[in-house]
Amino acid sequence: MRAPGRIENAQVSLHLSYGSSRGRTLIDRELYLGRAWVGTTADHERRCAEQGIPPERATTVATKPELARRVLERALDAGVPFTYVLADEAYGQCRALRAWLEERRVRCVLAIPKNEVLPLPDDRTRQARELYALVPKGRSSAARAPAAPRGGASTTGPASNSPPPCKPSKDIC
């Protein structure tokens, strides 16, 4: 018997949602499969087939940031208009995903751990908590994502005035 609350056998869905002043909706999804779901044995193949999991997804674990990149890539390739991407720490701590977003010049607001080491324009590095400490008291809530275009204008894909990409860091996803 397994202890309640264990998740090694879980399937978790990852969704790409879209929001604007006109409403919100889900526009894409991926299925996250933990280690218990992947393998090359006949038992794994049978179990995944019973659940409708394609064979190509049943042999290796794709991390949540890898799945996020897949749905974002499909949205970019389809020309979905957007201003920025928002994501929590599970995605923000993945340096490879952040570097990919920078390479694609996608504006993003990603939560990161306080101890995350960030590159500075002068090739030095600082922990996120050190940079946050430099923000004047009462000003931290002023850091917001850019506003969406107004007056019927649309932004297709990443904003053209995005900051230049920084040097990609080591992949930790």
Side-chain angles (χ1 to χ4, degrees):
M1 181 174 213
R2 295 183 184 232
R6 293 180 60 161
I7 61 167
E8 70 272 355
N9 197 30
Q11 299 175 13
V12 179
S13 61
L14 175 139
H15 295 97
L16 179 63
S17 58
Y18 187 86
S20 74
S21 62
R22 301 176 96 189
R24 294 169 246 356
T25 190
L26 299 176
I27 61 172
D28 202 352
R29 81 273 181 248
E30 279 284 346
L31 180 64
Y32 171 77
L33 301 169
R35 287 188 180 92
W37 280 96
V38 299
T40 56
T41 66
D43 184 48
H44 274 101
E45 290 175 12
R46 176 197 52 76
R47 186 171 171 222
C48 289
E50 287 174 357
Q51 298 301 315
I53 297 168
E56 65 274 7
R57 288 293 315 278
T59 56
T60 59
V61 173
T63 66
K64 291 178 187 177
E66 288 169 337
L67 297 175
R69 179 177 169 166
R70 289 179 192 174
V71 296
L72 290 168
E73 195 154 33
R74 289 193 293 260
L76 286 166
D77 291 348
V80 174
F82 67 93
T83 305
Y84 53 87
V85 171
L86 301 171
D88 67 22
E89 190 174 311
Y91 307 93
Q93 68 185 347
C94 178
R95 292 177 183 156
L97 179 61
R98 292 195 327 248
W100 179 81
L101 288 165
E102 289 170 0
E103 288 167 10
R104 296 289 301 252
R105 301 184 66 77
V106 174
R107 287 184 178 181
C108 58
V109 179
L110 305 174
I112 57 173
K114 291 186 276 187
N115 63 347
E116 181 75 17
V117 177
L118 301 169
L120 300 176
D122 62 3
D123 292 328
R124 294 181 302 137
T125 59
R126 300 277 297 264
Q127 283 190 341
R129 73 177 64 161
E130 294 173 305
L131 296 173
Y132 181 77
L134 298 174
V135 177
K137 299 287 185 218
R139 296 285 314 268
S140 61
S141 63
R144 297 185 183 173
R150 299 180 189 271
S154 67
T155 301
T156 302
S160 59
N161 60 349
S162 296
C166 70
K167 298 175 185 171
S169 303
K170 183 181 176 210
D171 182 2
I172 62 163
C173 304

